[in-house]
Amino acid sequence: MEVIKIVVFVIGLFFGIESSTIIAETTEVTINPKEKTMVIQQKNLLAIYPKEKDTSFAAEEFTKIYYYKTNWNKHLNAFAEKSIVYTTSDDKTLDATITLQYTSDEDLKIFAIDKNRKGQFSIINLPNWVLKTNDGTLNGNYWNFDADKPFSFTYNPVENVPETYTVNKKILYATWKKLAKK
């Protein structure tokens, strides 16, 4: 299995920012093998940081990510098309949808998505990431998916945040609102 170079719920990694402060509360990944697309819906972006830091830390990091939106991580060079779209809802949360067009199944290895001996897509099961799916089957330490049809899975990595961290659900929306007006 490949080393995970880009974790789908950490938005900064898509733009070469090696930080894990800004993540999605829920991330839904849909892969369509026939169209060779991967859609990553990061729902309710939030900041998780040590309690001793203030909100400016998260706002600065998101501002950097926002302005890097066309400077994709070099590990994504094999993807023919890449886009990110931010959306918001009435509850003042921020979502991001990242769409990637890949050329070969090999391109998915940077996300640690590989093919097993049976020709199925395979993803390692990391319990702390809380992967859920209706399309795959858990076989030992791996989730397996049919390689001939679209499949989806979700991650909910922030279900057990230590008490020494702040989980801020509103700072990113407020920061995005200011940046989008410019």
Side-chain angles (χ1 to χ4, degrees):
M1 203 37 124
E2 281 289 308
V3 173
I4 302 170
K5 296 180 183 159
I6 297 183
V7 179
V8 294
F9 50 80
V10 181
I11 192 168
L13 293 177
F14 286 91
F15 305 100
I17 298 169
E18 300 293 326
S19 176
S20 60
T21 301
I22 298 172
I23 67 174
E25 185 170 31
T26 300
T27 299
E28 182 177 346
V29 178
T30 302
I31 296 175
N32 186 326
K34 292 189 186 322
E35 295 178 3
K36 296 201 179 301
T37 57
M38 180 177 194
V39 178
I40 303 156
Q41 294 180 308
Q42 297 182 330
K43 299 173 184 176
N44 195 9
L45 291 175
L46 49 86
I48 297 179
Y49 49 90
K51 288 203 182 266
E52 63 270 7
K53 295 199 177 202
D54 64 17
T55 59
S56 65
F57 174 76
E60 288 171 18
E61 185 175 318
F62 182 74
T63 299
K64 188 174 181 181
I65 291 167
Y66 183 81
Y67 285 123
Y68 275 41
K69 62 187 164 208
T70 58
N71 298 331
W72 293 89
N73 187 316
K74 65 182 179 181
H75 295 296
L76 295 172
N77 286 347
F79 290 81
E81 294 180 35
K82 302 173 276 288
S83 68
I84 183 168
V85 175
Y86 293 102
T87 55
T88 188
S89 61
D90 292 338
D91 64 354
K92 297 186 178 181
T93 59
L94 185 62
D95 300 335
T97 300
I98 297 168
T99 304
L100 304 171
Q101 180 84 40
Y102 61 95
T103 307
S104 161
D105 294 342
E106 295 286 315
D107 297 342
L108 299 175
K109 285 186 174 187
I110 64 162
F111 299 102
I113 300 171
D114 208 349
K115 290 248 182 122
N116 65 16
R117 290 183 194 130
K118 295 179 181 178
Q120 299 170 306
F121 282 105
S122 185
I123 303 169
I124 193 165
N125 182 43
L126 298 171
N128 291 342
W129 291 5
V130 193
L131 186 145
K132 298 174 186 170
T133 183
N134 291 324
D135 301 325
T137 54
L138 185 59
N139 185 5
N141 289 328
Y142 294 92
W143 284 98
N144 297 310
F145 302 88
D146 188 340
D148 296 328
K149 61 183 180 182
F151 61 94
S152 296
F153 53 90
T154 61
Y155 288 119
N156 296 89
V158 295
E159 287 186 2
N160 300 310
V161 177
E163 289 185 24
T164 57
Y165 285 83
T166 298
V167 177
N168 190 318
K169 296 184 177 190
K170 299 298 178 192
I171 186 63
L172 301 181
Y173 171 81
T175 304
W176 173 79
K177 194 95 166 141
K178 289 177 191 173
L179 293 170
K181 287 183 181 181
K182 292 183 181 181

